């Protein structure tokens, strides 16, 4: 008989530590917070690990539309502590990942065979509230906002059931958090969104966490040439180990990087990926593509209100411009399979994890991230 996992915190408010972004650009503060019990169709999770994603950094800096003060983090792995009424897909004790894009299975995106940008998402823009428009976090008597249906820089979080995926009980929880975003986003952009073809030529702008996962996906798909672009040359040795064949630092080039890519490939690449989040590099990726059949995938999240300006007549030549969120995966259906694939040695996420630090060393983790030293740093609770 299955052993019931009942916690003595069930139904009670939990006081624990969490990192709060009090105002735009301020350093995160580790505070004592109160986490309310989950309401109907919500899940309270005891976090085990969380990755630090570029999107969290954008949010803390105020580059995205978010409400302050909030608890950042969305790349989380944890164990269900308790569930609200009506929750049927997970139970206390289950190992789960948090999902920045939920899957409600009812909206126009979820019901479409290709859609994954669920209408219940809370990224573009982020209200920081649960589906009932309230928050479960309080600190010093003040309401604290959630982020991206997740908030993982906390010992306990509450998320809607539609933003939780149950994963294999054998999953190593100190690592698999990055599958909830970095791996699904990057690897998925290459193998699922672009469907990179054998023998093709690719260029990846940005060789951070997501860009590295894109490189892994291009390599796994049999791309014969993968050009990596980054302004931080410290990223090059690891990128080469993952499959990048040529590294370019735009700051050391005499010509625009897209012109160099064009000359290197003669006709332009089959697949270009942008994993930085800047309009200039998005245009460089677009201009690196083959005019007729090249596909440009935008993975980087640009700052709110930024615009992209393309040469209009050129568009008819046939190139495709495609945005990608979480690798186009229907998140609850597909992301648990990536965990199983990792356990079965079909994908290897280990090279993407360069640092693991205890949660209370969050500031050191952000220093390493800002210094460009990390691919992914995972915080452990
Ligand atoms: P990261 O900070 O680990 O990587 C960014 C990389 O870009 C670093 O290696 C930088 O050195 C490099 N870089 C910065 N500026 C330039 C430049 N001008 N030219 C060339 N290289 C540059 O972040 P990440 O990999 O976690 O995230 C990358 C982007 O992807 C970021 O915009 C994030 O918000 C986005 C993202 N999108 C999704 C999605 O579903 N679409 C999911 C997760 C992250
Ligand atoms: Zn939906």
């Amino acid at each position: 008989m299955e052993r019931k996992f009942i916690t003595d915190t069930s139904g009670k408010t939990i006081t624990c530590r969490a990192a709060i972004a009090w105002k735009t650009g301020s350093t995160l503060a580790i505070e004592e917070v109160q986490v309310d019990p989950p309401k109907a169709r919500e899940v309270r999770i005891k976090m085990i690990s969380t990755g630090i994603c570029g999107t969290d950094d954008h949010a803390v800096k105020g580059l995205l539309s978010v409400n302050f003060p909030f608890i950042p983090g969305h790349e989380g792995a944890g164990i269900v502590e308790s569930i609200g009424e009506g929750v049927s897909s997970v139970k206390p004790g289950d190992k789960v990942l948090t999902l920045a894009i939920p899957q409600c299975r009812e909206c126009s995106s979820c019901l479409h065979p290709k859609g994954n940008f669920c209408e219940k998402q809370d990224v573009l823009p982020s209200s920081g509230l649960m589906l009932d428009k309230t928050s479960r976090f309080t600190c010093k008597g003040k309401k604290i906002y959630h982020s991206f249906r997740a908030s993982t820089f906390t010992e306990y979080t509450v998320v809607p059931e539609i933003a939780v995926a149950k994963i294999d009980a054998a999953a190593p929880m100190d690592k698999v958090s990055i599958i909830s975003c970095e791996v699904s986003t990057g690897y998925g952009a290459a193998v699922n969104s672009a469907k990179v073809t054998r023998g093709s030529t690719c260029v990846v702008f940005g060789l951070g966490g997501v860009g590295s996962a894109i490189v892994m996906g291009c390599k796994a798909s049999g791309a014969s040439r993968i050009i990596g672009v980054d302004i931080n040359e410290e990223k090059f040795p690891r990128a080469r180990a993952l499959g990048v064949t040529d590294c370019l630092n735009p700051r050391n080039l005499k010509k625009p990087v897209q012109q160099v890519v064009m000359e290197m490939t003669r006709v332009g690449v089959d697949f270009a990926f942008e994993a930085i989040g800047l309009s200039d590099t998005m245009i460089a990726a677009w201009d690196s593509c083959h005019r007729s059949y090249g596909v440009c995938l935008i993975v980087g999240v640009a700052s709110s209100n930024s615009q992209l300006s393309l040469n209009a007549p050129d568009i008819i030549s046939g190139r495709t411009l495609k945005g990608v969120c979480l690798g186009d995966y229907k998140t609850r259906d597909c992301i648990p399979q990536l965990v199983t694939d990792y356990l079965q040695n079909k994908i290897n996420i280990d090279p993407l994890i360069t640092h693991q630090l205890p949660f209370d060393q969050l500031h050191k983790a952000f220093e390493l991230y800002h210094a460009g030293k990390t691919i992914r740093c995972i915080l452990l609770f």
Side-chain angles (χ1 to χ4, degrees), residues 51-58 74-75 153 181-182 210 369 376:
I52 298 177
C53 174
T55 313
D56 298 320
D57 188 56
H58 293 338
H74 58 279
E75 223 172 67
F153 293 179
C181 177
E182 175 195 14
V210 171
Y369 171 78
R376 262 303 183 267

Side-chain angles (χ1 to χ4, degrees), residues 16 24 55 65 68 73 77 81 102-103 168 171 243 272 289 331 360:
C16 67
T24 307
T55 313
S65 174
F68 287 82
E81 175 269 341
Q103 184 186 353
D168 205 305
C289 288
T331 52
D360 57 16

Side-chain angles (χ1 to χ4, degrees), residues 102-111 116-120 162:
Q103 184 186 353
C104 75
R105 298 186 173 133
E106 287 171 353
C107 73
S108 60
S109 298
C110 288
L111 291 175
N116 86 325
F117 202 70
C118 176
E119 287 175 16
K120 312 263 177 8
I162 58 170

Side-chain angles (χ1 to χ4, degrees), residues 218-233:
C218 294
K219 174 83 180 168
S221 306
S224 59
R225 191 172 193 189
I226 307 170
I227 303 169
V229 180
D230 204 297
I231 49 173
N232 177 358
E233 295 194 9

Side-chain angles (χ1 to χ4, degrees), residues 52-56 58 74-75 181-182 185 205-211 229-232 235 250-251 274-278 281 298-302 324-327 369 374-376:
I52 298 177
C53 174
T55 313
D56 298 320
H58 293 338
H74 58 279
E75 223 172 67
C181 177
E182 175 195 14
T185 297
F205 286 80
L207 299 172
V210 171
V229 180
D230 204 297
I231 49 173
N232 177 358
K235 303 276 165 115
R251 290 192 175 155
E274 202 277 356
I276 302 164
L278 297 171
T281 41
I298 305 296
V299 184
V301 181
V324 191
C325 197
L326 289 176
Y369 171 78
T374 61
I375 294 298
R376 262 303 183 267

